[in-house]
Amino acid sequence: DVATLLNDATRVAILEDVTNFTNIGAIFRSAAALGMDTVLVTPGCHDPFYRRANRVSMGTVFQVPWTRIGTEHNWAEEGVPLLNRLGFTVAALALENDSVTLQNEHIAGAKKLALVLGTEGDGLAPSTIANCNYTVKIPMAHQVDSLNVAAASAVAFWQLGRL
C-alpha cells in the first residue's frame, strides 16, 4: 500500500515505465546511497527484483522499500493527487522550457518531495508532467541536452536526498 509505505518517508523516487534493468538497478543503488526513503514504480516499469536489476543494485533492491503506484498506464492521474494528499510536492525531471532547477526553494525546501524519473529515450509522458507540481531540469554544459536516467537520478538524489 503506497500510503502505508510513505507514512514516514520524506524523499521518494518514482520510476515511470523504466524498462532497462541496468538503469533500474543503478537507480536503486543511488537511492540507497544518497538518502532516498523509498522508490515507487509505475505499472509499465520492469520488476526491480529481476536478476540483472538486483545485481546492478548490489542488493539494494532488498534494502530500499518499494511498491507499485497506479493501476493504469496513465498512473499520474491518480498517483500524483494521492501523493499531494499525503503531503508530497511532486517534481517531474524533464527537459521543459518552464523547468526550475534542483536548487529552487520549492524543490530543495520541500518537507516531502517525490521525484519522477522517466523511461529511457522518451522520458516522461506529457500527462505526467502536466499532473506534477513542478518540472525540474538539471543544467547541462557543452550543449549536452540530457543525462541517462540512472545518472540523472544520482545527481538529483545527491542534491535533494536526506543523508
Side-chain angles (χ1 to χ4, degrees):
D1 172 65
V2 173
T4 302
L5 187 65
L6 298 183
N7 194 37
D8 295 322
T10 61
R11 293 294 184 261
V12 175
I14 302 170
L15 309 186
E16 180 179 273
D17 300 347
V18 178
T19 58
N20 180 294
F21 290 111
T22 300
N23 286 337
I24 293 168
I27 293 167
F28 267 83
R29 188 171 179 183
S30 292
L34 301 172
M36 301 303 284
D37 297 314
T38 193
V39 175
L40 302 175
V41 297
T42 66
C45 186
H46 283 1
D47 187 352
F49 285 151
Y50 185 78
R51 186 175 64 200
R52 177 72 178 149
N54 179 31
R55 188 173 4 176
V56 172
S57 82
M58 299 292 291
T60 59
V61 296
F62 297 107
Q63 294 174 346
V64 177
W66 70 273
T67 193
R68 294 202 178 267
I69 186 169
T71 57
E72 300 176 18
H73 181 67
N74 188 2
W75 71 273
E77 285 183 17
E78 61 187 74
V80 172
L82 170 63
L83 291 164
N84 289 155
R85 283 192 305 275
L86 295 172
F88 283 88
T89 298
V90 183
L93 267 68
L95 303 172
E96 298 291 316
N97 291 333
D98 62 348
S99 297
V100 298
T101 67
L102 294 170
Q103 295 86 0
N104 178 282
E105 64 186 77
H106 299 288
I107 303 301
K111 183 177 178 183
K112 291 182 168 188
L113 181 66
L115 297 170
V116 187
L117 302 150
T119 188
E120 305 82 1
D122 293 335
L124 295 172
S127 60
T128 297
I129 296 168
N131 277 288
C132 289
N133 305 115
Y134 294 94
T135 305
V136 179
K137 180 167 50 174
I138 298 170
M140 303 284 163
H142 302 290
Q143 299 177 346
V144 175
D145 66 345
S146 67
L147 295 172
N148 164 280
V149 66
S153 74
V155 170
F157 298 167
W158 168 251
Q159 182 70 34
L160 301 168
R162 302 280 191 200
L163 293 177

